[in-house]
Amino acid sequence: MTTIFRKSVLSVAGLAFAGGVFAGPIAAHANPVDAKPVAVAVQTGAPKPQGEQSHITLNGEQTANVKAIIAATKKARLPERAAVISIATSLQESKLENLGHLGDANDHDSLGLFQQRPSSGWGTPEQITDPAYSTTAFLKGLTQVDGWQDMALTDAAQTVQVSAYPDAYAQWEQQATDLVNQHWNS
């Protein structure tokens, strides 16, 4: 009995160690955010947000962009989950600001709410900086991902965006969910 118990304890310890070795390098590359962590209220039936959540206060332009993302999602006849993924992605990529060219601070030729690149085939600069167009382009990419509806938000967003910080989208899930709940029927 002692040998079985000892092997069980060593197995659990080994898994914990392996998890730390694996997660450590991933966490080291996380994208720092100028936002304060908030408590997460888990809603019944909704997927549980992954990890620590961030939150920012939105201005009128950012709120208008939320509404534009929701309108484009509805026009595409996609469910609320698609809007949550889109808004969380935009929160990470641009803080819901429709960014033009940022000069030396620009990430290549990334523009708009989703930091899409004309050189990568997302559209012209004028198209990409149109919230309806950029959301529709993002949603087209999302719906081409098999099983996106059931994926963790960060996995679905990353599959479309191919970011250098693949886990960063998760931190915006609760705020995106709250925004969709607030504006979907308005």
Side-chain angles (χ1 to χ4, degrees):
M1 186 74 162
T2 305
T3 303
I4 293 172
F5 179 72
R6 187 173 353 140
K7 285 182 179 179
S8 296
V9 169
L10 290 174
S11 294
V12 170
L15 287 173
F17 174 76
V21 168
F22 176 73
I26 292 172
H29 297 289
N31 189 14
V33 174
D34 252 358
K36 64 178 184 170
V38 295
V40 176
V42 179
Q43 301 168 353
T44 307
K48 181 181 177 189
Q50 294 179 328
E52 194 171 303
Q53 296 293 290
S54 296
H55 184 275
I56 60 171
T57 301
L58 303 184
N59 63 30
E61 177 190 352
Q62 291 165 308
T63 301
N65 289 330
V66 166
K67 292 177 180 180
I69 290 170
I70 290 172
T73 304
K74 286 180 172 184
K75 186 174 181 179
R77 298 178 190 237
L78 292 170
E80 293 175 45
R81 180 71 177 158
V84 170
I85 295 168
S86 299
I87 291 170
T89 301
S90 182
L91 276 163
Q92 175 59 31
E93 295 293 344
S94 70
K95 302 299 181 275
L96 286 164
E97 294 177 3
N98 195 9
L99 300 174
H101 195 279
L102 302 175
D104 290 341
N106 225 53
D107 178 21
H108 304 286
D109 57 341
S110 300
L111 302 168
L113 294 173
F114 297 90
Q115 288 295 278
Q116 297 160 329
R117 297 178 59 194
S119 63
S120 294
W122 284 100
T124 66
E126 294 76 22
Q127 290 172 320
I128 292 171
T129 54
D130 175 280
Y133 177 91
S134 63
T135 301
T136 301
F138 175 81
L139 292 169
K140 182 178 179 184
L142 181 66
T143 58
Q144 292 174 355
V145 176
D146 288 335
W148 68 267
Q149 303 93 325
D150 300 317
M151 283 182 170
L153 180 143
T154 197
D155 294 337
Q158 173 61 10
T159 303
V160 178
Q161 294 293 103
V162 192
S163 170
Y165 304 99
D167 298 324
Y169 301 105
Q171 69 187 314
W172 301 105
E173 187 163 5
Q174 188 62 56
Q175 184 169 14
T177 300
D178 293 344
L179 289 166
V180 170
N181 287 338
Q182 179 182 356
H183 296 288
W184 186 263
N185 292 318
S186 60

